[in-house]
Amino acid sequence: MRSYLDFEKPVAELEAKIEELRTLNAQGDMPAIGEELSKLEAKAEKALSDLYAGLTPWQKTQVARHPQRPHFVDYVQGFISDFTPLAGDRKFGDDNAIIGGFGWFEDQPICVIGQEKGSDTESRIRHNFGLARPEGYRKAVRLMELADRFGMPVLSLVDTAGAFPGVDAEERGQAEAIARGTEACLALGVPNVAVILGEGGSGGAIAIAAANRVLMLENAIYTVASPEASASILWRDAGRAQDAATNMKITAQDLLKFGIIDAIIGEPLGGAHRDCAATIAAVKGAVSEALAALRDYTPDEARRARREKFLAMGRKL
Amino acid sequence: MNWISNVMPPRIRSFLRRDTPENLWIKCPDSGELVFHKDLEANLFVIPGSGYHMYIAPKARLDALFDGGVYELLPTPEVPLDPLKFRDVKRYTDRIKEYRQKTGAADTIKLATGKLQGFDVVAAVQDFGFLGGSLGMAAGEAIITGMQQALDRQVPFIIFTASGGARMQEGMFSLMQMPRTTLMVQALREAKIPYLVVLTHPTTGGVTASYAMLGDIHIAEPGAVIGFAGARVIEQTIHEHLPEGFQRAEYLQAHGMVDMVVRRHDLPSVLARLCALLTGAPRPSPVLALPAIA
């Protein structure tokens, strides 16, 4: 059952009608219905493509958070073989909001780290909706250091509203854990690639996303604070989230223009959730290309290139 | 405003206001004690009775830090202003203008170099009074410059942090200051230049989650709020009251995030002592007595 976003209502109505006609058509072959059906299908596709050609930043935010959008585990299943998840920060515990491990990407071992939001109530709770605690970031640091030692590139799949705001997270040093995460990314002698899959939320994202190449899915958002949080800071009203989303330039298209990300990965018509397999294939292709371009870096070159890229950011606008 | 102000002619009202400036007496937010402004200033804006550490402006901070109040201000680089053409209830450019007028500073970071109990150091002070000390491109670039200066001069780098976090009005350019400043912290480490962080009230959000928590040594002023997420956000998330002293300097020390909590008056000598120990330089002249670290 497809779930529609509010702004997709016109498409939803057309598709409901199409569904009805299909059922009718299946009951008895009536040429008139067949003709009507193909007309409607063309109309629905046109409506969808028009709609998605002009998504506002707030609409993209909703698409980025769509419950049927593919998540970390789908990508790993899609293009990492022998994925071997590893647990624990060796200090306090394990955090399921961030999953990490090693596996094969095409012909090479790779370290994969990322947030998993979960896809039903049970798994959402287990993964804390992709909101990581310090242990998640410390596990990421541990895995990055291992990857560095064993010469594996690091792929970060980012999908989080942000780091978890809780008493326990604070008392175990959430800020320090995030800072060390960012630092570990920047210290890697192996190349790293980050993909913003859905939401790239604030410090919780950058802690694993300070990468040689940062890619973003077409309808993903990358924010300094979620539109709701920004709105409550700037307007003292979380209800102004739409304005925050619009004014804060959080879309892949804006961020590419600003030089904050390196490339955009196209999504299937109607968003990633309409065709998960195609989305996963597109991400795989883009990651493969990015890794190939970084393959010959020596450790010093990988670090220097990353350093130069981030230090140049915003200097020339 | 009380009933008198309603019946008084406006001219008398403004006369009265001029005669009794609001900031003549300062009330301690902790004990309620009233302190004469001049006395507070002379005591580095620490309430004498309660020991409460109030806001101190960057200039007063630097005056108190360097020997004899002598230091050289270092220029901070200009950065593109308002990359997002941002407006919330106000235009961002107007907001910046307002704070520049109010503080006389270009942005939130001031850089200075001079002698700290005989040691050459580069210091950065983040002003919470300038748009909440928020970390934007100007602050990021200034910190990078300050750290580069410390590298070039091969002297310790000291930063006094105070910030609500990222500067929302600069969007992702603001978030990118986290990795950018972190890169320079790494450069200091590689060069074995001491990097001392003094966390002052308040230090939160993206600032805590980058350079403020990456120091070689973390010192906090008493009572300073230091954390990642704001208390209000946490309360809304967990629907519980927060523990006593949550996110205060002493709480962070108890939880292993801060090496020591040091009174403002003792900061110069503690910082100088650390500079001596980390650089192996001869101890500063005995004329300057070092207080015991509790």
Side-chain angles (χ1 to χ4, degrees):
Chain A
M1 186 58 194
R2 173 165 291 143
S3 63
Y4 290 93
L5 299 165
D6 278 351
F7 67 87
E8 291 177 321
K9 214 171 155 200
V11 178
E13 279 165 5
L14 282 171
E15 289 186 346
K17 223 177 269 171
I18 290 169
E19 210 43 51
E20 237 172 76
L21 285 181
R22 270 199 196 129
T23 322
L24 266 180
N25 202 23
Q27 282 161 3
D29 193 25
M30 286 176 277
I33 292 183
E35 207 175 295
E36 179 69 5
L37 194 56
S38 50
K39 243 192 251 165
L40 265 181
E41 278 168 345
K43 205 174 159 193
E45 189 173 320
K46 169 109 181 20
L48 190 65
S49 105
D50 287 351
L51 191 60
Y52 270 74
L55 287 187
T56 66
W58 179 243
Q59 289 168 336
K60 278 184 193 273
T61 303
Q62 292 167 274
V63 176
R65 293 170 175 171
H66 196 288
Q68 286 161 341
R69 196 171 170 86
H71 285 170
F72 178 93
V73 293
D74 304 308
Y75 291 97
V76 167
Q77 261 164 29
F79 55 70
I80 303 291
S81 49
D82 283 349
F83 181 67
T84 309
L86 300 167
D89 65 350
R90 301 295 187 271
K91 292 178 168 82
F92 179 82
D94 187 40
D95 180 13
N96 277 315
I98 290 184
I99 302 177
F102 303 143
W104 292 88
F105 179 81
E106 296 175 334
D107 58 345
Q108 63 176 334
I110 193 170
C111 171
V112 192
I113 297 167
Q115 292 95 352
E116 170 58 50
K117 287 181 166 180
S119 49
D120 52 32
T121 307
E122 189 269 328
S123 63
R124 283 186 191 118
I125 291 169
R126 183 153 37 88
H127 295 293
N128 198 31
F129 302 85
L131 309 172
R133 290 181 163 83
E135 296 70 47
Y137 298 108
R138 291 184 180 131
K139 171 169 68 183
V141 168
R142 191 190 133 226
L143 297 188
M144 282 192 259
E145 286 170 357
L146 275 177
D148 201 11
R149 180 142 38 96
F150 292 100
M152 275 181 250
V154 176
L155 171 63
S156 293
L157 300 174
V158 181
D159 195 8
T160 182
F164 182 63
V167 173
D168 60 336
E170 292 291 317
E171 74 185 8
R172 297 198 297 275
Q174 185 72 293
E176 194 261 359
I178 291 170
R180 296 278 169 192
T182 311
E183 195 196 359
C185 290
L186 295 169
L188 284 173
V190 287
N192 59 343
V193 174
V195 186
I196 315 295
L197 300 175
E199 286 182 275
S202 190
I206 193 70
I208 60 168
N212 287 106
R213 289 278 186 286
V214 180
L215 318 176
M216 243 177 116
L217 274 169
E218 188 183 342
N219 296 312
I221 59 165
Y222 196 2
T223 59
V224 63
S226 73
E228 290 82 358
S230 310
S232 80
I233 294 168
L234 291 165
W235 284 275
R236 308 227 156 259
D237 176 6
R240 301 286 298 264
Q242 272 199 53
D243 296 314
T246 311
N247 295 2
M248 292 184 78
K249 307 282 192 277
I250 60 176
T251 66
Q253 297 69 28
D254 278 327
L255 296 175
L256 182 67
K257 213 167 53 195
F258 287 149
I260 284 172
I261 62 161
D262 300 293
I264 298 175
I265 307 171
E267 290 183 26
L269 179 63
H273 57 279
R274 284 208 167 229
D275 191 343
C276 291
T279 307
I280 292 164
V283 168
K284 182 190 179 186
V287 169
S288 174
E289 208 176 292
L291 285 175
L294 304 169
R295 200 165 201 160
D296 296 330
Y297 274 168
T298 64
D300 276 347
E301 283 168 346
R303 278 187 284 262
R304 198 180 326 127
R306 208 180 286 121
R307 180 190 160 87
E308 280 166 9
K309 181 181 103 157
F310 278 96
L311 285 183
M313 252 175 218
R315 278 191 178 156
K316 271 184 246 142
L317 286 178
Chain B
M1 287 274 175
N2 55 25
W3 64 272
I4 298 181
S5 35
N6 295 332
V7 296
M8 231 188 289
R11 206 180 306 160
I12 298 181
R13 231 186 287 163
S14 66
F15 170 77
L16 275 181
R17 205 175 300 146
R18 224 179 309 147
D19 214 20
T20 53
E22 281 171 63
N23 58 357
L24 197 55
W25 289 88
I26 312 287
K27 190 175 174 185
C28 171
D30 192 28
S31 63
E33 178 185 357
L34 285 172
V35 186
F36 192 52
H37 184 269
K38 285 278 168 214
D39 293 342
L40 192 62
E41 195 178 351
N43 201 39
L44 301 177
F45 296 90
V46 176
I47 305 278
S50 64
Y52 187 92
H53 283 53
M54 310 257 315
Y55 167 80
I56 182 170
K59 184 180 179 301
R61 166 87 68 191
L62 291 170
D63 288 349
L65 180 72
F66 287 103
D67 299 351
V70 180
Y71 53 90
E72 178 199 341
L73 283 176
L74 298 169
T76 52
E78 264 193 55
V79 297
L81 188 65
D82 195 16
L84 308 188
K85 310 265 175 287
F86 194 86
R87 84 175 293 158
D88 42 74
V89 284
K90 263 187 210 163
R91 278 217 305 265
Y92 174 47
T93 48
D94 289 343
R95 223 180 259 276
I96 287 285
K97 247 180 251 161
E98 203 178 286
Y99 278 101
R100 283 183 176 171
Q101 253 159 22
K102 200 173 111 188
T103 62
D107 207 279
T108 163
I109 295 276
K110 254 196 173 56
L111 293 176
T113 185
K115 293 217 185 279
L116 165 63
Q117 302 203 344
F119 285 99
D120 283 311
V121 300
V122 172
V125 181
Q126 194 160 17
D127 185 10
F128 190 72
F130 193 110
L131 238 176
S134 52
L135 174 62
M137 298 165 85
E141 209 66 59
I143 291 167
I144 289 169
T145 302
M147 291 178 173
Q148 188 60 53
Q149 286 281 348
L151 273 170
D152 294 346
R153 294 160 197 251
Q154 293 284 298
V155 301
F157 183 73
I158 301 169
I159 189 164
F160 296 83
T161 62
S163 176
R167 183 166 292 175
M168 294 293 138
Q169 293 88 345
E170 292 184 12
M172 283 296 290
F173 285 106
S174 169
L175 192 75
M176 289 302 119
Q177 304 314 315
M178 295 169 67
R180 296 181 85 240
T181 52
T182 301
L183 281 163
M184 289 307 291
V185 174
Q186 289 177 316
L188 291 177
R189 279 198 199 146
E190 273 163 38
K192 300 193 188 344
I193 300 288
Y195 170 41
L196 310 178
V197 179
V198 182
L199 300 133
T200 76
H201 180 71
T203 300
T204 59
V207 168
T208 322
S210 57
Y211 57 88
M213 276 290 142
L214 293 173
D216 296 321
I217 303 213
H218 295 166
I219 300 171
E221 283 195 341
V225 164
I226 303 157
F228 177 63
R232 201 162 43 99
V233 177
I234 298 173
E235 261 176 336
Q236 282 164 1
T237 312
I238 60 169
H239 307 291
E240 268 175 44
H241 282 296
L242 300 171
E244 182 73 22
F246 181 64
Q247 291 185 326
R248 296 282 171 182
E250 298 73 14
Y251 175 96
L252 264 89
Q253 189 186 22
H255 286 90
M257 288 299 141
V258 157
D259 291 286
M260 47 184 124
V261 179
V262 176
R263 283 175 62 233
R264 194 171 284 159
H265 296 77
D266 297 335
L267 283 173
S269 51
V270 170
L271 289 166
R273 176 198 292 212
L274 290 168
C275 288
L277 289 167
L278 293 176
T279 58
R283 292 179 56 163
S285 111
V287 184
L288 301 153
L290 298 177
I293 296 173

